[in-house]
């Protein structure tokens, strides 16, 4: 039916940012006939639901809490062969889907991760840019060393991740009891799948720093709390994966509990 990309936007309790996230996807340079939007949230709201209905957005209400479960609820309702995730408090660059579609068509990847910024001025002014050449990695292929992928891969975040339906189908058997760290899960699953994965330095997502967000903490106390949560998240995934690269990623991420920075500046090496 012509749908190529399904964008799954997830929200839990929070309402104030959701329509901005939806609008960032509605305002893509990619033709609207080539993508669909699915919102998965745990509440009903007359104003929000009316807007979504008028915009042709599929809205699903669920009482499921884990993010990965919301992802799969959206995946099961979607029609696309390519699936992009977006948290309700983040925004897509207007060119994101056009760039993503091109990479998936040309490079036959199963997993894609772009860069992001919390600087809105930088994000908003970056309407025209030269596309940087991303790194592509495949297990047992030798396209690039695995550590090179880790050095260039930006901070993991669900809003930066796009996958193929084949990877989603493959990963379904691995999600039993996954309750946290969807980003770590998807990256590890991409390695487990043994198809090419891409790390892209292009800044295609703006992420907010909501008040009280542990994952975007800046104070030493909150960073320490996030580090402990990260270690627990990594340990929760170790038993799921057998691929040596996936295990290596989880091992290095655990050793450097501030794994977001470890990935970005290559401290895993």
């Amino acid at each position: 039916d012509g749908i190529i990309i399904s964008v799954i936007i997830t929200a839990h309790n929070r309402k104030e940012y959701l329509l901005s996230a939806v609008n960032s996807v509605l305002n893509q340079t990619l033709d609207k006939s080539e993508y669909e939007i699915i919102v998965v949230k745990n509440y009903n709201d007359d104003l929000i639901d009316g807007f979504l209905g008028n915009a042709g957005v599929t809205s699903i209400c669920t009482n499921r809490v884990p993010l990965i479960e919301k992802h799969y609820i959206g995946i099961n309702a979607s029609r696309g062969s390519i699936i992009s995730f977006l948290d309700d408090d983040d925004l897509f660059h207007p060119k994101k889907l056009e760039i993503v579609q091109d990479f998936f068509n040309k490079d036959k990847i199963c997993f894609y991760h772009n860069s992001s910024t919390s600087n809105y001025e930088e994000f908003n002014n970056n309407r025209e840019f030269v596309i940087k050449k991303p790194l592509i990695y495949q297990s047992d292929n030798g396209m690039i060393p695995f550590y090179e992928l880790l050095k260039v891969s930006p901070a993991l975040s669900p809003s930066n991740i796009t996958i193929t339906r084949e990877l989603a189908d493959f990963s379904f058997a691995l999600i039993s009891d996954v309750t946290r760290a969807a980003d770590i899960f998807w990256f590890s699953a991409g390695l487990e799948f043994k198809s090419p994965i891409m790390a892209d330095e292009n800044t295609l997502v703006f992420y907010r720093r909501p008040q009280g967000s542990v994952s975007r903490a800046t104070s030493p106390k909150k960073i320490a709390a996030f580090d402990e949560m990260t270690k627990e998240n990594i340990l929760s995934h170790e038993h799921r994966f057998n691929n040596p690269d996936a295990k290596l990623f989880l091992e290095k991420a655990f050793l450097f509990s501030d794994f977001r920075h470890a990935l970005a500046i290559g401290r895993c090496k």
Side-chain angles (χ1 to χ4, degrees):
D1 54 13
I3 296 295
I4 296 176
I5 301 179
S6 297
V7 180
I8 298 172
I9 305 175
T10 53
H12 191 80
N13 293 338
R14 188 168 49 201
K15 300 180 180 182
E16 60 265 37
Y17 304 124
L18 179 56
L19 293 187
S20 293
V22 172
N23 274 318
S24 78
V25 185
L26 289 171
N27 294 322
Q28 292 289 301
T29 56
L30 186 67
D31 191 277
K32 285 184 172 56
S33 66
E34 298 187 66
Y35 67 94
E36 65 177 352
I37 306 172
I38 298 170
V39 170
V40 183
K41 52 186 175 60
N42 70 327
Y43 56 81
N44 292 307
D45 181 279
D46 290 344
L47 179 64
I48 292 173
D49 293 339
F51 178 90
L52 297 179
N54 291 334
V57 175
T58 299
S59 180
I60 301 171
C61 186
T62 178
N63 61 3
R64 305 305 299 169
V65 174
L67 179 59
I68 196 73
E69 292 191 27
K70 289 188 176 72
H71 282 171
Y72 268 101
I73 288 170
I75 290 168
N76 289 337
S78 70
R79 296 173 286 168
S81 57
I82 302 169
I83 300 158
S84 282
F85 303 115
L86 180 61
D87 291 345
D88 65 293
D89 57 334
D90 297 338
L91 303 174
F92 275 1
H93 187 283
K95 289 183 176 290
K96 167 152 180 171
L97 295 186
E98 181 183 344
I99 291 170
V100 163
Q101 183 189 66
D102 186 55
F103 281 145
F104 273 82
N105 285 339
K106 288 194 309 186
D107 297 298
K108 309 304 178 186
I109 54 178
C110 73
F111 174 97
Y112 168 88
H113 191 284
N114 57 256
S115 188
S116 57
T117 181
S118 61
N119 184 327
Y120 185 74
E121 183 176 353
E122 171 192 342
F123 174 80
N124 195 47
N125 291 336
N126 193 25
R127 288 297 185 255
E128 298 294 336
F129 55 85
V130 177
I131 303 298
K132 301 172 186 175
K133 185 177 181 180
L135 287 185
I136 302 175
Y137 176 80
Q138 183 172 2
S139 294
D140 306 320
N141 182 282
M143 298 174 76
I144 63 167
F146 182 55
Y147 281 118
E148 291 300 311
L149 176 73
L150 291 184
K151 285 200 298 185
V152 77
S153 180
L156 286 176
S157 166
S159 295
N160 296 340
I161 292 173
T162 302
I163 63 173
T164 59
R165 182 167 294 277
E166 288 79 10
L167 176 57
D169 291 343
F170 167 82
S171 302
F172 185 73
L174 302 172
I175 69 161
S176 100
D177 76 354
V178 173
T179 59
R180 56 178 72 182
D183 46 4
I184 295 176
F185 173 83
W186 286 121
F187 186 74
S188 302
L191 294 169
E192 187 85 2
F193 194 48
K194 293 187 176 181
S195 288
I197 67 176
M198 179 177 286
D200 183 10
E201 291 184 284
N202 289 299
T203 301
L204 300 178
V205 167
F206 166 75
Y207 67 90
R208 289 183 173 87
R209 296 180 182 271
Q211 187 70 27
S213 174
V214 176
S215 64
R216 290 161 185 173
T218 55
S219 72
K221 184 176 181 180
K222 289 184 177 180
I223 290 173
F226 179 76
D227 289 348
E228 287 305 309
M229 182 181 71
T230 297
K231 289 180 180 180
E232 293 176 5
N233 291 345
I234 294 165
L235 289 173
S236 75
H237 288 310
E238 281 188 324
H239 68 284
R240 305 181 201 284
F241 303 105
N242 297 311
N243 181 280
D245 288 339
K247 288 184 174 294
L248 179 61
F249 162 67
L250 293 170
E251 174 190 338
K252 297 302 181 183
F254 184 84
L255 289 174
F256 296 94
S257 55
D258 56 337
F259 74 101
R260 297 169 297 170
H261 306 294
L263 290 177
I265 65 176
R267 287 169 52 201
C268 289
K269 190 168 182 178

